[in-house]
Amino acid sequence: MRTIPIFAGLRGRELGRLIQSLYQRTYQKGESLFNQGDIGRALFILESGQIALLRQDNGLENKIYTVKPGEFFGEMALLEERPRTASARAEEISRLYLLYRTELDDLVHSAPRIAAVIFRHLAERLSGRLRERQDTRLAETLLSRAR
Amino acid sequence: MPAKFRIPAAAFVFALLLVYVVFKLFDVLLPFLIAFLIAYVSNPLVNWFQSRGFRREVAVVLIYGGVVLVVSILADPLRRVLESDMTRLQTKAPLYIMQAKHMIAVFRNRLSARLPFGGSLLESWSANLYAPLIRRVQSVPKYFLAMLPIITYVFLVPVLSFYFLMDAPRAQGRLIQICPSHYVEQLLHLLDEVDVVVGKYLKGVMLEACAVALLLATGLRLLEIHYFVAIAALAGVGCLVPYLGFLVSMGFGVLVAAFQFQSIWAGIKVAALFVSVKVADDVFLSPLLPSTSLHPVVFLLSLMIGGKLFGFGGLLLAIPIVSIARSLVKIMWMWYVSSAGLGAAGASSPLQVPYT
């Protein structure tokens, strides 16, 4: 667990506390973790295997990303109870940890340092996406002006 | 039936079958339920040890060693005192009630002689209207004594709760693994909701029962009331049976005090003590404790149905079972609403508010 980036910075005892808040499940090849539109309540952390994130647009399913070991996804469910924006399917036998929303709320009160580390990693991910989106928009604006 | 509703429908049918099996086999299942509750209450302590690097097996054995030591020192003397007090109360209860009826009849006659009108109403009033209630109240020590064999499940319940404690994480992991992949988050939602409901109820009730029993034992001891341990224990257990438990235990305390000192004022002092403890509980303790937040009508109906179907065990388990059932219905409704797209539009995002 120390090698999983979202848990980087946690000490031994904190990892021990965190393990009690995580659920573990192994998904077989082809099993669906969640579908686009499902209300999400858990963050998924991939320990081993491979997960495909798929989005349905106009009836067509496109793979938008392949999650590799050590990465996490589904983090928006921890922040707000909204429908999932993509589906997740196991491309091979995959072992995942699930961090359920209320477990994180419980960590905020009982082990705030652990919760702070997790939220920091989530914030870094969101900040990176926002920056990427702004860069993309700027590039599109410049291109349209150039035309 | 649409495919997405088949599994929830199957789960619902399974839940109904489970309720039927529990109803039929309640006497057999009771020690398992008690062992599960003990394991549930002890689990946070085991997790605490585990988070500090102890293996689960070692943590469970350490906790069990401590509990066995405390119980072996306290349980047998306490059980003997309770049993002897309750047996004596059971024997004397009909005498106390007969004397109480006599006192009420004397009081009624004096009052009807002084009233200018309405005396005939009082004359026709008879304590026999309350005979069924009085018979049930007389039986309360018998119910309490019937509970004592539960305490003597000294081999069965600890063994069961030991295995529940040891294997709880593995059992939970198996449950998550066998759940269809698409429903894992819903299962976690369900487990979380049940955990919150049961945890709230147990913590609230256990703390309240201990606090009330301790306060009353101290107060009754200061008032030099006989059987103060039994009466305080009855009041503590009475916290598990809302409203009725308090009234019954107060009734016993008042009767014992009135006939011990041959004075109605002794009974009034005990009643005042009970009322003070109840008020202190409602005003100071209950707001701090987690509650089930059931409507009072639903609360009472659950108790009556539980008591009718399963006796004393039903009275104890009625509220947590109804709270769990309410959570299940709430969750199933939420799933239905979200999957059918029936949810109301969310509040506007803060980003939509114009910058001013």
Side-chain angles (χ1 to χ4, degrees):
Chain A
M1 280 193 57
R2 284 175 207 271
T3 60
I4 297 174
I6 193 173
F7 302 142
L10 291 176
R11 296 187 285 252
R13 191 176 281 187
E14 288 167 341
L15 282 172
R17 172 68 184 85
L18 181 63
I19 283 171
Q20 288 164 8
S21 300
L22 297 175
Y23 299 97
Q24 224 175 36
R25 195 185 192 276
T26 303
Y27 289 81
Q28 302 301 315
K29 182 179 174 180
E31 271 193 318
S32 165
L33 281 70
F34 52 80
N35 287 339
Q36 188 172 338
D38 288 348
I39 300 292
R41 290 186 181 85
L43 166 77
F44 292 80
I45 303 146
L46 184 60
E47 189 196 28
S48 63
Q50 205 161 274
I51 301 291
L53 296 181
L54 311 141
R55 186 171 287 154
Q56 213 168 46
D57 289 313
N58 302 319
L60 289 171
E61 202 174 63
N62 303 307
K63 190 197 295 194
I64 55 172
Y65 191 72
T66 303
V67 182
K68 297 186 188 52
E71 293 179 338
F72 61 87
F73 58 97
E75 67 275 14
M76 298 313 293
L78 296 183
L79 302 172
E80 39 183 16
E81 260 183 39
R82 305 278 296 184
R84 299 277 191 196
T85 54
S87 306
R89 197 172 304 142
E91 290 192 322
E92 57 187 66
I93 295 178
S94 306
R95 198 171 161 79
L96 288 102
Y97 294 110
L98 285 81
L99 177 61
Y100 192 66
R101 198 186 150 88
T102 52
E103 296 288 345
L104 183 59
D105 291 343
D106 186 50
L107 283 173
V108 166
H109 295 105
S110 62
R113 192 175 175 275
I114 300 173
V117 165
I118 295 172
F119 276 122
R120 195 186 74 229
H121 287 294
L122 292 179
E124 283 170 3
R125 157 84 63 95
L126 290 172
S127 169
R129 283 210 189 118
L130 192 60
R131 208 178 320 115
E132 208 177 274
R133 201 178 160 88
Q134 279 182 331
D135 290 345
T136 308
R137 275 199 180 156
L138 182 62
E140 282 170 0
T141 306
L142 290 173
L143 267 172
S144 66
R145 279 186 189 167
R147 284 195 204 110
Chain B
M1 181 185 285
K4 64 183 176 185
F5 292 121
R6 277 185 207 147
I7 289 179
F12 182 69
V13 168
F14 176 73
L16 284 178
L17 277 172
L18 192 64
V19 167
Y20 178 73
V21 166
V22 167
F23 172 67
K24 283 290 182 189
L25 299 174
F26 189 73
D27 289 338
V28 170
L29 293 172
L30 189 58
F32 290 83
L33 287 169
I34 294 167
F36 175 78
L37 289 175
I38 292 171
Y40 182 84
V41 167
S42 314
N43 196 49
L45 192 55
V46 174
N47 287 342
W48 186 85
F49 276 102
Q50 262 195 295
S51 68
R52 272 144 185 81
F54 287 86
R55 286 172 58 90
R56 191 171 182 89
E57 295 83 357
V58 172
V60 172
V61 167
L62 276 175
I63 289 163
Y64 254 68
V67 168
V68 162
L69 191 65
V70 168
V71 165
S72 59
I73 293 169
L74 293 177
D76 199 49
L78 189 63
R79 187 188 64 81
R80 272 190 263 126
V81 165
L82 274 176
E83 204 168 13
S84 111
D85 278 3
M86 278 296 165
T87 308
R88 274 187 285 163
L89 258 180
Q90 172 73 13
T91 315
K92 289 200 172 170
L95 174 67
Y96 286 157
I97 286 165
M98 209 167 62
Q99 287 177 329
K101 280 161 94 170
H102 173 72
M103 278 175 65
I104 290 168
V106 166
F107 176 74
R108 173 171 51 93
N109 292 335
R110 280 185 197 164
L111 197 62
S112 66
R114 282 175 196 191
L115 279 179
F117 55 86
S120 57
L121 285 174
L122 278 175
E123 287 288 340
S124 68
W125 177 78
S126 168
N128 287 332
L129 287 173
Y130 298 96
L133 177 65
I134 289 170
R135 269 200 302 276
R136 284 189 192 275
V137 165
Q138 271 179 251
S139 307
V140 164
K142 189 176 72 175
Y143 289 142
F144 195 91
L145 282 170
M147 256 181 64
L148 286 181
I150 290 171
I151 300 166
T152 63
Y153 279 152
V154 72
F155 298 111
L156 186 58
V157 168
V159 168
L160 290 173
S161 56
F162 179 82
Y163 282 112
F164 283 142
L165 263 179
M166 290 279 275
D167 297 332
R170 231 169 297 162
Q172 190 179 63
R174 284 293 302 153
L175 184 62
I176 290 169
Q177 195 58 51
I178 62 174
C179 174
S181 63
H182 188 55
Y183 291 97
V184 168
E185 283 184 85
Q186 282 92 329
L187 176 65
L188 293 183
H189 188 186
L190 203 68
L191 291 177
D192 180 67
E193 198 68 26
V194 169
D195 185 32
V196 164
V197 162
V198 174
K200 265 188 190 176
Y201 176 71
L202 285 178
K203 283 176 203 159
V205 160
M206 281 174 57
L207 281 170
E208 190 184 8
C210 291
V212 164
L214 266 164
L215 285 171
L216 282 172
T218 310
L220 290 169
R221 184 73 185 91
L222 290 172
L223 291 174
E224 296 177 0
I225 305 297
H226 292 159
Y227 322 119
F228 68 95
V229 172
I231 296 169
L234 194 61
V237 169
C239 291
L240 300 170
V241 183
Y243 309 116
L244 292 172
F246 166 73
L247 288 172
V248 167
S249 53
M250 185 173 76
F252 266 102
V254 165
L255 280 175
V256 166
F259 296 110
Q260 180 186 329
F261 293 100
Q262 291 296 310
S263 157
I264 196 78
W265 291 110
I268 290 171
K269 278 187 210 171
V270 168
L273 171 68
F274 268 82
V275 168
S276 309
V277 168
K278 181 74 179 138
V279 166
D281 173 32
D282 287 345
V283 172
F284 298 114
L285 190 59
S286 291
L288 301 173
L289 297 175
S291 77
T292 56
S293 56
L294 284 176
H295 192 277
V297 171
V298 173
F299 207 90
L300 287 169
L301 184 63
S302 314
L303 286 177
M304 290 170 72
I305 293 172
K308 177 73 180 169
L309 291 178
F310 301 112
F312 194 80
L315 283 174
L316 291 181
L317 297 173
I319 301 305
I321 287 172
V322 167
S323 301
I324 290 169
R326 188 182 73 154
S327 298
L328 292 179
V329 168
K330 189 175 90 174
I331 287 169
M332 286 171 72
W333 176 250
M334 279 168 67
W335 293 350
Y336 170 70
V337 162
S338 64
S339 61
L342 294 172
S348 59
S349 158
L351 296 173
Q352 292 171 355
V353 177
Y355 179 74
T356 51

